[in-house]
Amino acid sequence: MSRVTTHETTHSSVKDMVWRWGAGPCWGVAAFLTWWLPDGDDFPDTTLLAGLFLACGVVLLILAALKRLRYWAPWSAVLGLGLGAWEVAQAKFLLLPRPFFGTPQDLLDVFLTDWKRLGDSLLHSLLLLLIGYGIGACVGIVVGMALGRSLRFRYWVRPIMRVIGPLPPVALLPLAFVIMPSTRLAGEALMALSAGFPVAVLTWSGVAAVDPAYYDVARTMGAKDRFLVLRVALPAATPQIFVGLFMGLGASFSMLVVAEMLGVKSGLGFYMQWAQGWAAYPNMYAALLVMALMCTSLMTLLFKLRDYVLRWQKDGLKW
Amino acid sequence: MVKTAATQPALKPLSLHIDHLNHGYEAQGAMRPVLDDVSFDVAPGEFVALLGPSGCGKSTLLRLIAGLEAPLSGTIEADGREITGPGPDRIVMFQDPTLYPWRTVEENVALGLDIHKKRDPKIVRDALHLVGLEKDATSWPHQLSGGMAQRVALARALVNNPRMLILDEPLGKLDSLTRLTMQGEIRRFWQQQGFSALMVTHDVEEALLLATRVLVFSPRPARIVSDQPIELSAEQRHRDDPHVIALRRAILEQLGHRNDW
């Protein structure tokens, strides 16, 4: 048994070494090709791009020396090679149809020259998203708790939820633009709706599934309704509530993009729409990249929050 | 295992007066009676065991006394006052520990104090000390064994300084060795803290070792078949004592197990 383990350890440690010390040179190769091969057309910032590739390679080598590069070593190596291949294929040999496919330096140039507008768009999107999602999530939790605990509330609200809930909120967009005083408010309202519905339904199902014995325990000690709702039902339902919060966040993302593309005159969706209208494809890619980073960062934040709030659970899914 | 650390003032144990109690549940349009004209008194400080066939309605009786449900007819009085709802003078310990998984061990023990906004770390610590779990104060419930979890539930009940402890088969799901230990603990807590106790159990031996009085119930709807004091000295309260064996045989007969084993 121990011999097998030793053998596997040596084998995998050689592989680890190759990945760890290979990642930096991969970026070095990309940097060299970028600098050495002549550009196929007049592209900006080629030398700067080569310098950035080289800097990444050096950083990776330093990390390897400090033994900080292990898990992400294969990814780092392949990413460097991939960027190098893209650079060679598109900037040097012009293999893909232009202008729909840009070069790495085009993308870099957008960030260098248009970072102000991109950052501004990101801020607007974030604000729109967080206000709409925040309101939707809070209202969803309150409505879900009420659905789970009050018969009368359930009688009146459930039919409404059943009719409006399954409707994609996007379908309400034209109506919202008409009846709301501003497109921005319309976007907020629809984002709140698209986040609120899954949160409400999942909160409700979480509250409905609470073991009645949990209430008995608190009641025998003299707990009143307020305690039963806030200190028993709510914490017992949190695992389900977080499922709803994740679904709601995803729904808010799509609502955000649609709202910004169709009416709201700011944000990353608007930027993309504008870039596409002017055939500024590198700008579109840049906005897409920023948007992807924004979405994954918010998801990661929500996962971190969940991991903290649900630390009492045995094990949870990792993002 | 049991330590003496009573930080809270001992309260006067509760007395009960139960008069012509009837109860039932509606099922498929018909009334299913569960309790049939049940009357008995509990003197302050008594330890009464309720024995009866499975599903006869003993647990329902406990829920009524705890105030978790209202009876269809008849009255339950605690110290001469009619019971209209749950109260911290009567604390229930259930068959399952039902610890809140989102609270640590000490937060679970502090539940009764939190409900009345009187969290006192010293009381919590003493209760954990009493059940021998002070080292596990910050553990999560899923990290505990069944016996440990039931001990936490016991500490959570004792923190309320109850005047009556209502035990709904609290040891029913424990392994036999843990059960022996906890039987001794419950008995000693009862002696030290001087609360009245009502315990539903299926285990005749357990009833004889712990209780000062045993009520035997009929199959559903539950009626009192016999009511007898258990006058055994501390030395006689042992599994192999001839008095215990004789009483066990008599009670098993009342439960309809004359010829079994």
PDB file of all heavy atoms in Angstrom, chain A residues 254-284:
ATOM      1  N   SER A 254     -29.797  38.353 -16.642  1.00  0.00           N
ATOM      2  CA  SER A 254     -30.378  38.423 -17.994  1.00  0.00           C
ATOM      3  C   SER A 254     -31.313  39.616 -18.117  1.00  0.00           C
ATOM      4  O   SER A 254     -31.344  40.286 -19.146  1.00  0.00           O
ATOM      5  CB  SER A 254     -31.072  37.115 -18.370  1.00  0.00           C
ATOM      6  OG  SER A 254     -31.738  36.579 -17.288  1.00  0.00           O
ATOM      7  N   MET A 255     -32.062  39.905 -17.033  1.00  0.00           N
ATOM      8  CA  MET A 255     -32.951  41.062 -17.079  1.00  0.00           C
ATOM      9  C   MET A 255     -32.139  42.340 -17.250  1.00  0.00           C
ATOM     10  O   MET A 255     -32.528  43.243 -17.992  1.00  0.00           O
ATOM     11  CB  MET A 255     -33.742  41.100 -15.766  1.00  0.00           C
ATOM     12  CG  MET A 255     -34.957  41.976 -15.796  1.00  0.00           C
ATOM     13  SD  MET A 255     -36.126  41.469 -17.059  1.00  0.00           S
ATOM     14  CE  MET A 255     -36.264  42.990 -17.931  1.00  0.00           C
ATOM     15  N   LEU A 256     -30.987  42.417 -16.587  1.00  0.00           N
ATOM     16  CA  LEU A 256     -30.126  43.604 -16.668  1.00  0.00           C
ATOM     17  C   LEU A 256     -29.697  43.848 -18.107  1.00  0.00           C
ATOM     18  O   LEU A 256     -29.829  44.957 -18.642  1.00  0.00           O
ATOM     19  CB  LEU A 256     -28.889  43.399 -15.789  1.00  0.00           C
ATOM     20  CG  LEU A 256     -27.794  44.461 -15.898  1.00  0.00           C
ATOM     21  CD1 LEU A 256     -28.230  45.715 -15.148  1.00  0.00           C
ATOM     22  CD2 LEU A 256     -26.461  43.964 -15.360  1.00  0.00           C
ATOM     23  N   VAL A 257     -29.212  42.798 -18.750  1.00  0.00           N
ATOM     24  CA  VAL A 257     -28.710  42.951 -20.113  1.00  0.00           C
ATOM     25  C   VAL A 257     -29.837  43.378 -21.053  1.00  0.00           C
ATOM     26  O   VAL A 257     -29.695  44.319 -21.840  1.00  0.00           O
ATOM     27  CB  VAL A 257     -28.053  41.644 -20.590  1.00  0.00           C
ATOM     28  CG1 VAL A 257     -27.598  41.789 -22.034  1.00  0.00           C
ATOM     29  CG2 VAL A 257     -26.888  41.286 -19.695  1.00  0.00           C
ATOM     30  N   VAL A 258     -30.974  42.701 -20.934  1.00  0.00           N
ATOM     31  CA  VAL A 258     -32.089  43.035 -21.819  1.00  0.00           C
ATOM     32  C   VAL A 258     -32.542  44.476 -21.597  1.00  0.00           C
ATOM     33  O   VAL A 258     -32.755  45.231 -22.539  1.00  0.00           O
ATOM     34  CB  VAL A 258     -33.259  42.052 -21.600  1.00  0.00           C
ATOM     35  CG1 VAL A 258     -34.458  42.475 -22.425  1.00  0.00           C
ATOM     36  CG2 VAL A 258     -32.837  40.641 -21.947  1.00  0.00           C
ATOM     37  N   ALA A 259     -32.683  44.863 -20.312  1.00  0.00           N
ATOM     38  CA  ALA A 259     -33.149  46.217 -20.010  1.00  0.00           C
ATOM     39  C   ALA A 259     -32.184  47.256 -20.571  1.00  0.00           C
ATOM     40  O   ALA A 259     -32.596  48.258 -21.148  1.00  0.00           O
ATOM     41  CB  ALA A 259     -33.301  46.396 -18.504  1.00  0.00           C
ATOM     42  N   GLU A 260     -30.881  47.002 -20.445  1.00  0.00           N
ATOM     43  CA  GLU A 260     -29.901  47.975 -20.915  1.00  0.00           C
ATOM     44  C   GLU A 260     -29.810  48.011 -22.434  1.00  0.00           C
ATOM     45  O   GLU A 260     -29.493  49.035 -23.031  1.00  0.00           O
ATOM     46  CB  GLU A 260     -28.528  47.666 -20.314  1.00  0.00           C
ATOM     47  CG  GLU A 260     -28.441  48.053 -18.850  1.00  0.00           C
ATOM     48  CD  GLU A 260     -27.075  47.757 -18.258  1.00  0.00           C
ATOM     49  OE1 GLU A 260     -26.307  46.998 -18.878  1.00  0.00           O
ATOM     50  OE2 GLU A 260     -26.794  48.286 -17.188  1.00  0.00           O
ATOM     51  N   MET A 261     -30.091  46.882 -23.048  1.00  0.00           N
ATOM     52  CA  MET A 261     -30.013  46.870 -24.509  1.00  0.00           C
ATOM     53  C   MET A 261     -31.243  47.508 -25.133  1.00  0.00           C
ATOM     54  O   MET A 261     -31.190  48.040 -26.228  1.00  0.00           O
ATOM     55  CB  MET A 261     -29.869  45.441 -25.013  1.00  0.00           C
ATOM     56  CG  MET A 261     -28.464  44.895 -24.827  1.00  0.00           C
ATOM     57  SD  MET A 261     -28.298  43.277 -25.551  1.00  0.00           S
ATOM     58  CE  MET A 261     -26.523  43.097 -25.533  1.00  0.00           C
ATOM     59  N   LEU A 262     -32.381  47.430 -24.410  1.00  0.00           N
ATOM     60  CA  LEU A 262     -33.621  47.878 -25.028  1.00  0.00           C
ATOM     61  C   LEU A 262     -34.095  49.256 -24.580  1.00  0.00           C
ATOM     62  O   LEU A 262     -34.923  49.861 -25.242  1.00  0.00           O
ATOM     63  CB  LEU A 262     -34.732  46.859 -24.777  1.00  0.00           C
ATOM     64  CG  LEU A 262     -34.530  45.519 -25.481  1.00  0.00           C
ATOM     65  CD1 LEU A 262     -35.736  44.637 -25.266  1.00  0.00           C
ATOM     66  CD2 LEU A 262     -34.262  45.720 -26.970  1.00  0.00           C
ATOM     67  N   GLY A 263     -33.627  49.751 -23.431  1.00  0.00           N
ATOM     68  CA  GLY A 263     -34.213  51.021 -23.016  1.00  0.00           C
ATOM     69  C   GLY A 263     -33.306  51.882 -22.168  1.00  0.00           C
ATOM     70  O   GLY A 263     -33.151  53.069 -22.416  1.00  0.00           O
ATOM     71  N   VAL A 264     -32.704  51.273 -21.171  1.00  0.00           N
ATOM     72  CA  VAL A 264     -31.884  52.054 -20.252  1.00  0.00           C
ATOM     73  C   VAL A 264     -30.660  52.566 -21.003  1.00  0.00           C
ATOM     74  O   VAL A 264     -29.948  51.807 -21.644  1.00  0.00           O
ATOM     75  CB  VAL A 264     -31.462  51.182 -19.050  1.00  0.00           C
ATOM     76  CG1 VAL A 264     -30.671  52.001 -18.045  1.00  0.00           C
ATOM     77  CG2 VAL A 264     -32.692  50.584 -18.375  1.00  0.00           C
ATOM     78  N   LYS A 265     -30.384  53.872 -20.902  1.00  0.00           N
ATOM     79  CA  LYS A 265     -29.334  54.470 -21.735  1.00  0.00           C
ATOM     80  C   LYS A 265     -27.991  54.533 -21.028  1.00  0.00           C
ATOM     81  O   LYS A 265     -27.295  55.547 -21.049  1.00  0.00           O
ATOM     82  CB  LYS A 265     -29.761  55.886 -22.147  1.00  0.00           C
ATOM     83  CG  LYS A 265     -30.964  55.910 -23.080  1.00  0.00           C
ATOM     84  CD  LYS A 265     -30.557  55.678 -24.532  1.00  0.00           C
ATOM     85  CE  LYS A 265     -31.752  55.645 -25.454  1.00  0.00           C
ATOM     86  NZ  LYS A 265     -32.402  54.308 -25.503  1.00  0.00           N
ATOM     87  N   SER A 266     -27.655  53.468 -20.297  1.00  0.00           N
ATOM     88  CA  SER A 266     -26.332  53.411 -19.681  1.00  0.00           C
ATOM     89  C   SER A 266     -26.037  51.961 -19.331  1.00  0.00           C
ATOM     90  O   SER A 266     -26.897  51.105 -19.474  1.00  0.00           O
ATOM     91  CB  SER A 266     -26.277  54.280 -18.413  1.00  0.00           C
ATOM     92  OG  SER A 266     -27.163  53.756 -17.447  1.00  0.00           O
ATOM     93  N   GLY A 267     -24.822  51.707 -18.875  1.00  0.00           N
ATOM     94  CA  GLY A 267     -24.481  50.354 -18.456  1.00  0.00           C
ATOM     95  C   GLY A 267     -23.813  49.554 -19.546  1.00  0.00           C
ATOM     96  O   GLY A 267     -23.714  49.974 -20.704  1.00  0.00           O
ATOM     97  N   LEU A 268     -23.348  48.362 -19.152  1.00  0.00           N
ATOM     98  CA  LEU A 268     -22.569  47.541 -20.074  1.00  0.00           C
ATOM     99  C   LEU A 268     -23.396  47.045 -21.251  1.00  0.00           C
ATOM    100  O   LEU A 268     -22.906  46.956 -22.379  1.00  0.00           O
ATOM    101  CB  LEU A 268     -21.983  46.340 -19.310  1.00  0.00           C
ATOM    102  CG  LEU A 268     -20.871  46.696 -18.324  1.00  0.00           C
ATOM    103  CD1 LEU A 268     -20.590  45.528 -17.398  1.00  0.00           C
ATOM    104  CD2 LEU A 268     -19.612  47.104 -19.067  1.00  0.00           C
ATOM    105  N   GLY A 269     -24.670  46.734 -21.007  1.00  0.00           N
ATOM    106  CA  GLY A 269     -25.534  46.283 -22.093  1.00  0.00           C
ATOM    107  C   GLY A 269     -25.690  47.371 -23.145  1.00  0.00           C
ATOM    108  O   GLY A 269     -25.618  47.120 -24.357  1.00  0.00           O
ATOM    109  N   PHE A 270     -25.874  48.601 -22.677  1.00  0.00           N
ATOM    110  CA  PHE A 270     -25.992  49.745 -23.578  1.00  0.00           C
ATOM    111  C   PHE A 270     -24.687  49.961 -24.335  1.00  0.00           C
ATOM    112  O   PHE A 270     -24.678  50.206 -25.549  1.00  0.00           O
ATOM    113  CB  PHE A 270     -26.362  50.990 -22.759  1.00  0.00           C
ATOM    114  CG  PHE A 270     -26.413  52.243 -23.573  1.00  0.00           C
ATOM    115  CD1 PHE A 270     -27.395  52.439 -24.533  1.00  0.00           C
ATOM    116  CD2 PHE A 270     -25.461  53.244 -23.385  1.00  0.00           C
ATOM    117  CE1 PHE A 270     -27.438  53.595 -25.283  1.00  0.00           C
ATOM    118  CE2 PHE A 270     -25.492  54.407 -24.139  1.00  0.00           C
ATOM    119  CZ  PHE A 270     -26.482  54.573 -25.089  1.00  0.00           C
ATOM    120  N   TYR A 271     -23.585  49.837 -23.635  1.00  0.00           N
ATOM    121  CA  TYR A 271     -22.259  49.986 -24.255  1.00  0.00           C
ATOM    122  C   TYR A 271     -22.082  48.973 -25.383  1.00  0.00           C
ATOM    123  O   TYR A 271     -21.616  49.312 -26.487  1.00  0.00           O
ATOM    124  CB  TYR A 271     -21.184  49.788 -23.176  1.00  0.00           C
ATOM    125  CG  TYR A 271     -19.764  50.017 -23.641  1.00  0.00           C
ATOM    126  CD1 TYR A 271     -19.120  51.225 -23.402  1.00  0.00           C
ATOM    127  CD2 TYR A 271     -19.060  49.016 -24.308  1.00  0.00           C
ATOM    128  CE1 TYR A 271     -17.817  51.437 -23.812  1.00  0.00           C
ATOM    129  CE2 TYR A 271     -17.759  49.215 -24.724  1.00  0.00           C
ATOM    130  CZ  TYR A 271     -17.137  50.429 -24.477  1.00  0.00           C
ATOM    131  OH  TYR A 271     -15.848  50.627 -24.884  1.00  0.00           O
ATOM    132  N   MET A 272     -22.479  47.716 -25.096  1.00  0.00           N
ATOM    133  CA  MET A 272     -22.340  46.671 -26.116  1.00  0.00           C
ATOM    134  C   MET A 272     -23.199  46.974 -27.330  1.00  0.00           C
ATOM    135  O   MET A 272     -22.765  46.823 -28.473  1.00  0.00           O
ATOM    136  CB  MET A 272     -22.740  45.306 -25.532  1.00  0.00           C
ATOM    137  CG  MET A 272     -21.615  44.636 -24.768  1.00  0.00           C
ATOM    138  SD  MET A 272     -22.221  43.291 -23.783  1.00  0.00           S
ATOM    139  CE  MET A 272     -22.499  42.098 -25.048  1.00  0.00           C
ATOM    140  N   GLN A 273     -24.418  47.388 -27.078  1.00  0.00           N
ATOM    141  CA  GLN A 273     -25.337  47.712 -28.149  1.00  0.00           C
ATOM    142  C   GLN A 273     -24.754  48.829 -29.024  1.00  0.00           C
ATOM    143  O   GLN A 273     -24.760  48.773 -30.238  1.00  0.00           O
ATOM    144  CB  GLN A 273     -26.667  48.154 -27.513  1.00  0.00           C
ATOM    145  CG  GLN A 273     -27.768  48.331 -28.498  1.00  0.00           C
ATOM    146  CD  GLN A 273     -28.390  46.992 -28.851  1.00  0.00           C
ATOM    147  OE1 GLN A 273     -27.773  45.938 -28.651  1.00  0.00           O
ATOM    148  NE2 GLN A 273     -29.587  47.019 -29.377  1.00  0.00           N
ATOM    149  N   TRP A 274     -24.215  49.831 -28.326  1.00  0.00           N
ATOM    150  CA  TRP A 274     -23.623  50.982 -29.017  1.00  0.00           C
ATOM    151  C   TRP A 274     -22.401  50.548 -29.841  1.00  0.00           C
ATOM    152  O   TRP A 274     -22.241  50.911 -31.003  1.00  0.00           O
ATOM    153  CB  TRP A 274     -23.239  52.020 -27.968  1.00  0.00           C
ATOM    154  CG  TRP A 274     -22.292  53.071 -28.462  1.00  0.00           C
ATOM    155  CD1 TRP A 274     -22.636  54.232 -29.087  1.00  0.00           C
ATOM    156  CD2 TRP A 274     -20.859  53.036 -28.379  1.00  0.00           C
ATOM    157  NE1 TRP A 274     -21.506  54.927 -29.407  1.00  0.00           N
ATOM    158  CE2 TRP A 274     -20.405  54.225 -28.991  1.00  0.00           C
ATOM    159  CE3 TRP A 274     -19.936  52.140 -27.856  1.00  0.00           C
ATOM    160  CZ2 TRP A 274     -19.059  54.531 -29.080  1.00  0.00           C
ATOM    161  CZ3 TRP A 274     -18.597  52.446 -27.943  1.00  0.00           C
ATOM    162  CH2 TRP A 274     -18.161  53.621 -28.552  1.00  0.00           C
ATOM    163  N   ALA A 275     -21.550  49.711 -29.221  1.00  0.00           N
ATOM    164  CA  ALA A 275     -20.340  49.255 -29.914  1.00  0.00           C
ATOM    165  C   ALA A 275     -20.698  48.455 -31.155  1.00  0.00           C
ATOM    166  O   ALA A 275     -20.085  48.614 -32.219  1.00  0.00           O
ATOM    167  CB  ALA A 275     -19.492  48.406 -28.962  1.00  0.00           C
ATOM    168  N   GLN A 276     -21.708  47.634 -31.028  1.00  0.00           N
ATOM    169  CA  GLN A 276     -22.113  46.820 -32.172  1.00  0.00           C
ATOM    170  C   GLN A 276     -22.649  47.715 -33.292  1.00  0.00           C
ATOM    171  O   GLN A 276     -22.371  47.495 -34.465  1.00  0.00           O
ATOM    172  CB  GLN A 276     -23.168  45.816 -31.719  1.00  0.00           C
ATOM    173  CG  GLN A 276     -23.322  44.635 -32.646  1.00  0.00           C
ATOM    174  CD  GLN A 276     -24.665  44.634 -33.345  1.00  0.00           C
ATOM    175  OE1 GLN A 276     -25.491  45.514 -33.095  1.00  0.00           O
ATOM    176  NE2 GLN A 276     -24.870  43.673 -34.223  1.00  0.00           N
ATOM    177  N   GLY A 277     -23.400  48.766 -32.898  1.00  0.00           N
ATOM    178  CA  GLY A 277     -23.951  49.703 -33.881  1.00  0.00           C
ATOM    179  C   GLY A 277     -22.850  50.404 -34.679  1.00  0.00           C
ATOM    180  O   GLY A 277     -23.004  50.679 -35.867  1.00  0.00           O
ATOM    181  N   TRP A 278     -21.730  50.668 -34.039  1.00  0.00           N
ATOM    182  CA  TRP A 278     -20.619  51.339 -34.699  1.00  0.00           C
ATOM    183  C   TRP A 278     -19.603  50.346 -35.242  1.00  0.00           C
ATOM    184  O   TRP A 278     -18.501  50.740 -35.636  1.00  0.00           O
ATOM    185  CB  TRP A 278     -19.924  52.296 -33.736  1.00  0.00           C
ATOM    186  CG  TRP A 278     -20.747  53.522 -33.488  1.00  0.00           C
ATOM    187  CD1 TRP A 278     -21.624  53.714 -32.476  1.00  0.00           C
ATOM    188  CD2 TRP A 278     -20.781  54.698 -34.283  1.00  0.00           C
ATOM    189  NE1 TRP A 278     -22.220  54.938 -32.578  1.00  0.00           N
ATOM    190  CE2 TRP A 278     -21.718  55.583 -33.686  1.00  0.00           C
ATOM    191  CE3 TRP A 278     -20.114  55.115 -35.465  1.00  0.00           C
ATOM    192  CZ2 TRP A 278     -22.009  56.832 -34.217  1.00  0.00           C
ATOM    193  CZ3 TRP A 278     -20.412  56.366 -35.973  1.00  0.00           C
ATOM    194  CH2 TRP A 278     -21.350  57.204 -35.355  1.00  0.00           C
ATOM    195  N   ALA A 279     -19.953  49.075 -35.234  1.00  0.00           N
ATOM    196  CA  ALA A 279     -19.049  48.010 -35.687  1.00  0.00           C
ATOM    197  C   ALA A 279     -17.727  48.045 -34.944  1.00  0.00           C
ATOM    198  O   ALA A 279     -16.690  47.680 -35.482  1.00  0.00           O
ATOM    199  CB  ALA A 279     -18.808  48.097 -37.203  1.00  0.00           C
ATOM    200  N   ALA A 280     -17.776  48.510 -33.690  1.00  0.00           N
ATOM    201  CA  ALA A 280     -16.559  48.555 -32.864  1.00  0.00           C
ATOM    202  C   ALA A 280     -16.462  47.230 -32.100  1.00  0.00           C
ATOM    203  O   ALA A 280     -16.676  47.193 -30.886  1.00  0.00           O
ATOM    204  CB  ALA A 280     -16.613  49.752 -31.913  1.00  0.00           C
ATOM    205  N   TYR A 281     -16.146  46.160 -32.856  1.00  0.00           N
ATOM    206  CA  TYR A 281     -16.204  44.828 -32.250  1.00  0.00           C
ATOM    207  C   TYR A 281     -15.260  44.649 -31.071  1.00  0.00           C
ATOM    208  O   TYR A 281     -15.643  44.014 -30.085  1.00  0.00           O
ATOM    209  CB  TYR A 281     -15.999  43.747 -33.315  1.00  0.00           C
ATOM    210  CG  TYR A 281     -17.148  43.737 -34.286  1.00  0.00           C
ATOM    211  CD1 TYR A 281     -17.031  44.296 -35.544  1.00  0.00           C
ATOM    212  CD2 TYR A 281     -18.372  43.208 -33.912  1.00  0.00           C
ATOM    213  CE1 TYR A 281     -18.094  44.331 -36.422  1.00  0.00           C
ATOM    214  CE2 TYR A 281     -19.452  43.235 -34.771  1.00  0.00           C
ATOM    215  CZ  TYR A 281     -19.306  43.800 -36.040  1.00  0.00           C
ATOM    216  OH  TYR A 281     -20.355  43.827 -36.890  1.00  0.00           O
ATOM    217  N   PRO A 282     -14.040  45.160 -31.123  1.00  0.00           N
ATOM    218  CA  PRO A 282     -13.189  45.012 -29.922  1.00  0.00           C
ATOM    219  C   PRO A 282     -13.837  45.601 -28.681  1.00  0.00           C
ATOM    220  O   PRO A 282     -13.751  45.031 -27.606  1.00  0.00           O
ATOM    221  CB  PRO A 282     -11.920  45.785 -30.302  1.00  0.00           C
ATOM    222  CG  PRO A 282     -11.879  45.725 -31.786  1.00  0.00           C
ATOM    223  CD  PRO A 282     -13.306  45.784 -32.234  1.00  0.00           C
ATOM    224  N   ASN A 283     -14.542  46.736 -28.828  1.00  0.00           N
ATOM    225  CA  ASN A 283     -15.226  47.315 -27.677  1.00  0.00           C
ATOM    226  C   ASN A 283     -16.294  46.371 -27.137  1.00  0.00           C
ATOM    227  O   ASN A 283     -16.506  46.251 -25.943  1.00  0.00           O
ATOM    228  CB  ASN A 283     -15.884  48.646 -28.066  1.00  0.00           C
ATOM    229  CG  ASN A 283     -14.855  49.693 -28.426  1.00  0.00           C
ATOM    230  OD1 ASN A 283     -14.094  49.505 -29.383  1.00  0.00           O
ATOM    231  ND2 ASN A 283     -14.802  50.763 -27.656  1.00  0.00           N
ATOM    232  N   MET A 284     -16.973  45.692 -28.069  1.00  0.00           N
ATOM    233  CA  MET A 284     -18.012  44.754 -27.662  1.00  0.00           C
ATOM    234  C   MET A 284     -17.396  43.613 -26.847  1.00  0.00           C
ATOM    235  O   MET A 284     -17.911  43.234 -25.798  1.00  0.00           O
ATOM    236  CB  MET A 284     -18.701  44.211 -28.903  1.00  0.00           C
ATOM    237  CG  MET A 284     -20.076  43.704 -28.651  1.00  0.00           C
ATOM    238  SD  MET A 284     -20.788  43.109 -30.188  1.00  0.00           S
ATOM    239  CE  MET A 284     -19.869  41.623 -30.434  1.00  0.00           C
TER     240      MET A 284
END
